[in-house]
Amino acid sequence: MKKYVIPFLLLLLVGSGSMVWLYLYNSSASGATETASTETVRPQNELSTLPDLVEIKSEGKSIKLSLNDIPQYKNYLLNEADFQSEIARTQFTSLDIPSSETYAILKYGCGTKDCSTILVKTDGNKSESLTMPVGIFQDYKVSSDHKKVLIRYAYDEGSLVKRQILVAVDLEKLKIIPYTSAALEEPFMLKPTWPIISYDWIDNNHFNIETAALETSEYSALKNWFSSENRKTRKVTIGLDVNKRLNEYPKAM
C-alpha cells in the first residue's frame, strides 16, 4: 500500500505547484495588460492641456483669440497630435475695415496650396467667427457703407490656369450673403469655375466681375486663354440677397 501512497503524494504536489504557477502567471499577465491598456488608451488632446487663449503670429503681427469663441478651429486643434505646432503654423491676414473691432482671416490646416479659413471678428475680449471656404485667400474689397465685404479665393491648376470665387460677407452680423441668382452663385461663389480677373462694387448690394469670354470653362480652353496675348473678357453683374444670411459658407471646397 505504501508504494502507492508516495507516488500519489508526489503527483499531488506537482499538480498543486503547477496550478499555483499558472495562477500567478495569469494574474501577472492580466495586470500587465491592464497597465499597458491604461498607458496607451488616452485622448488625442485632453481639454485641460489646450489653452483657452492663444496668440497667433503672422507677418510681424499678432492676434489673441479665445478658442471657445472659435469652435471650428478648437475642434481642429483637439484632433491634432501636436496642437502647439499647428498653432505656430496658423497664419492670419488682418482686413483693413473701418471699425472699432478687428477683422482677420485665419488660415490653418494648409495643404500643398489650399488652407482652411475662418473670418474672425474680435474686440480684444470676445470674438465671433465665420467658417469660410478652403482655398487660397487672395484679396478683398469693402462696400462703400463698410457693412459688407467681397473676399476672393484662388485655385491654381498647374502654373498657368487659375480659377476664383467671390464670397460676400455681412460684417455686422458676420454671416455669408447669398447671391440673388443661383445660376451665378454656383460658378462664381460655390464652385471655382472661371477666372475672376477683376471685380468691384457697383453699390452696396451689387458688384461686377470681369471674367474670360469663353463658351466653356474646360481646362484646355482656359489654358489657351491664359496663354493668349489677346484675352477677351466679359463682365457679369451680380446682386446680393438683401434678406437671407447664412451661418457658414454653404459648401465645403
Side-chain angles (χ1 to χ4, degrees), residues 87-136:
I87 292 173
R89 280 193 285 265
T90 300
Q91 300 179 341
F92 75 92
T93 298
S94 298
L95 305 186
D96 186 12
I97 295 172
S99 172
S100 59
E101 297 171 302
T102 298
Y103 291 84
I105 293 283
L106 286 187
K107 295 170 279 187
Y108 65 98
C110 301
T112 305
K113 297 178 181 178
D114 300 344
C115 297
S116 296
T117 64
I118 300 172
L119 178 58
V120 175
K121 177 171 70 171
T122 180
D123 61 4
N125 295 310
K126 187 176 181 181
S127 302
E128 295 179 59
S129 60
L130 176 65
T131 301
M132 297 293 284
V134 175
I136 304 171

Side-chain angles (χ1 to χ4, degrees), residues 74-183:
K74 181 176 182 178
N75 289 336
Y76 168 76
L77 293 177
L78 285 172
N79 286 299
E80 292 298 310
D82 186 356
F83 66 81
Q84 292 180 339
S85 294
E86 290 304 316
I87 292 173
R89 280 193 285 265
T90 300
Q91 300 179 341
F92 75 92
T93 298
S94 298
L95 305 186
D96 186 12
I97 295 172
S99 172
S100 59
E101 297 171 302
T102 298
Y103 291 84
I105 293 283
L106 286 187
K107 295 170 279 187
Y108 65 98
C110 301
T112 305
K113 297 178 181 178
D114 300 344
C115 297
S116 296
T117 64
I118 300 172
L119 178 58
V120 175
K121 177 171 70 171
T122 180
D123 61 4
N125 295 310
K126 187 176 181 181
S127 302
E128 295 179 59
S129 60
L130 176 65
T131 301
M132 297 293 284
V134 175
I136 304 171
F137 168 77
Q138 187 170 351
D139 52 29
Y140 66 97
K141 288 188 178 181
V142 183
S143 61
S144 59
D145 63 0
H146 304 149
K147 293 181 179 180
K148 302 180 182 72
V149 63
L150 293 172
I151 302 177
R152 178 164 57 170
Y153 285 82
Y155 302 85
D156 293 340
E157 297 181 31
S159 59
L160 189 62
V161 175
K162 179 182 291 186
R163 307 172 198 255
Q164 283 112 334
I165 59 171
L166 270 179
V167 183
V169 175
D170 184 325
L171 291 171
E172 294 182 324
K173 297 180 179 179
L174 207 66
K175 295 181 183 293
I176 301 290
I177 310 174
Y179 291 5
T180 54
S181 169

